[in-house]
Amino acid sequence: MTLPERLWEALRLDPSTVAARARFYRAYAELEEPRVDVRDLAELMRDRPPPGGFGPHVINLIGKEAGAVGQRLREIQRPLGGGPWVRLAEVADALRNAAVAELLLDVQTGRATLLEASRGYSELGLPFGDFLAVAAMGDRERSISAAELLGALLSDSQITDTGLLGSAALSTPAQQRYLLLTAAPDATDLWPRLTEAPQAHRTAAVGATSQPFSTWWRLGSLLSHLESDAEGIRRELARIIVELSEAHSRQLQLAAADDHHWSTGRAQTDLIDLDLAGAVAISARIMRQREIRPWRFESDFPALSPLASISLQIGLQLGDDAPPSDDYLGARTSAW
């Protein structure tokens, strides 16, 4: 399943351009990591060049000069590659960008790539990884674990390291937001504490559309408390989704004003707000899990412009559980 034709018209992008963007990021993710990279060179030059320098014009990162660079870095006791997390993060980011493009073309392909990206982020210890997995396939095991971690966070309990970056990642508003959205399907009993938490009043701008943290916290809190007879909560959820959708639409409009970069698929703004699409997918699964009337685009979001509808449409498709086959996933996990 892909975007309806009217939304492609609103984007003013050729699908082949979007496909090229996906291929670019996929190719980057699958590049073989060089023994020495630009970070190594910067660190080396900060210290001093090796005896004899690097040659008059070009530093060859795969020839004998790479050996000289490596030897000098060992002498100043700096690990090659900038630490074990750097390349992992680069690959995860590249796969995330590839997924954004792929989701516009084929949700199943994009779903599989989201799962690939999620593995890297999770290995780093970032809740964003679990969020992508729960958004892509409704991984209840991760949702339950996130709810336990969220409870510990709200109680100021000691949190042990969960990945290469350690528990410090949870101190950032962005990752706390992902933790809440991931936990929402299994965080019903946390509702009172969520509404009273300091995070409920934070105004820091987060996400692709720079919306207040409190808006996202409110969204996640409402998702955790959504019940079949809670029409007021449903209406409030729809209102927040519309607010976030319109904010992303404004970002797309601004990006499209730069026709050169937009038409060639090189605009800096994400064509899909993955945070919003993922939250919508999670909400759709919660509704199904709790036997709540599902979202109906025409009745729940009647006033949305086509451009503002894109992330919402993708989220509804992601929330329609039809996961990619094991064979397909197995063929796409070599990056890890």
Side-chain angles (χ1 to χ4, degrees):
M1 189 181 297
T2 184
L3 278 185
E5 185 63 31
R6 67 184 183 88
L7 298 188
W8 278 113
E9 292 174 359
L11 270 177
R12 295 190 294 111
L13 278 174
D14 192 292
S16 64
T17 300
V18 177
R21 184 180 176 94
R23 288 194 300 272
F24 170 81
Y25 284 112
R26 165 63 61 178
Y28 182 85
E30 294 176 350
L31 281 175
E32 182 178 348
E33 184 178 11
R35 286 193 299 156
V36 178
D37 65 18
V38 67
R39 292 176 295 269
D40 298 320
L41 297 178
E43 184 68 24
L44 192 58
M45 296 304 293
R46 186 180 295 116
D47 180 68
R48 60 181 173 83
F54 292 114
H57 303 295
V58 177
I59 299 173
N60 184 352
L61 294 183
I62 60 175
K64 63 180 182 180
E65 290 171 350
V69 172
Q71 177 60 35
R72 183 69 191 117
L73 287 168
R74 284 188 288 273
E75 290 173 4
I76 63 175
Q77 298 183 336
R78 181 183 186 275
L80 295 178
W85 62 271
V86 174
R87 179 58 182 166
L88 189 62
E90 289 179 342
V91 171
D93 282 345
L95 290 171
R96 182 194 67 82
N97 281 302
V100 167
E102 290 171 348
L103 284 167
L104 294 169
L105 302 164
D106 180 77
V107 168
Q108 290 293 68
T109 302
R111 191 196 306 266
T113 303
L114 281 181
L115 291 172
E116 287 184 81
S118 78
R119 295 185 187 101
Y121 290 120
S122 294
E123 189 172 339
L124 290 167
L126 296 175
F128 184 47
D130 291 335
F131 168 73
L132 291 181
V134 171
M137 288 186 66
D139 189 327
R140 288 297 300 281
E141 183 177 339
R142 295 204 197 199
S143 179
I144 292 169
S145 296
E148 294 173 353
L149 189 57
L150 179 61
L153 180 70
L154 294 173
S155 303
D156 292 325
S157 300
Q158 180 70 31
I159 297 175
T160 58
D161 290 357
T162 57
L164 289 175
L165 299 181
S167 58
L170 281 176
S171 65
T172 65
Q175 296 305 317
Q176 290 181 10
R177 174 179 56 135
Y178 293 128
L179 179 64
L180 171 57
L181 292 171
T182 304
D186 294 284
T188 304
D189 59 339
L190 296 177
W191 163 255
R193 293 159 65 189
L194 290 172
T195 58
E196 298 167 1
Q199 289 90 336
H201 307 288
R202 284 184 181 170
T203 57
V206 294
T209 53
S210 300
Q211 295 304 290
F213 179 89
S214 57
T215 299
W216 287 100
W217 191 264
R218 176 72 172 161
L219 175 64
S221 300
L222 290 171
L223 284 176
S224 73
H225 198 53
L226 185 60
E227 299 293 345
S228 58
D229 58 349
E231 282 299 315
I233 291 179
R234 181 193 182 91
R235 286 193 296 272
E236 177 67 1
L237 275 173
R239 185 195 65 77
I240 294 174
I241 289 172
V242 168
E243 178 183 332
L244 295 171
S245 297
E246 294 290 2
H248 185 237
S249 173
R250 290 190 292 272
Q251 293 281 350
L252 292 176
Q253 290 170 350
L254 289 172
D258 178 359
D259 186 66
H260 172 70
H261 289 96
W262 181 262
S263 62
T264 56
R266 290 183 288 168
Q268 294 301 305
T269 300
D270 284 341
L271 299 177
I272 298 170
D273 183 348
L274 271 185
D275 300 347
L276 176 57
V280 170
I282 290 169
S283 74
R285 291 195 182 90
I286 289 175
M287 289 175 167
R288 198 158 50 246
Q289 170 191 337
R290 301 178 187 175
E291 299 182 345
I292 299 171
R293 176 169 54 89
W295 293 122
R296 290 289 179 262
F297 191 86
E298 295 77 9
S299 57
D300 289 309
F301 311 102
L304 271 186
S305 67
L307 208 55
S309 304
I310 292 172
S311 296
L312 176 54
Q313 287 276 13
I314 294 298
L316 291 174
Q317 292 181 30
L318 270 179
D320 181 15
D321 286 325
S325 68
D326 291 340
D327 289 342
Y328 183 73
L329 284 174
R332 300 288 295 276
T333 57
S334 58
W336 308 119

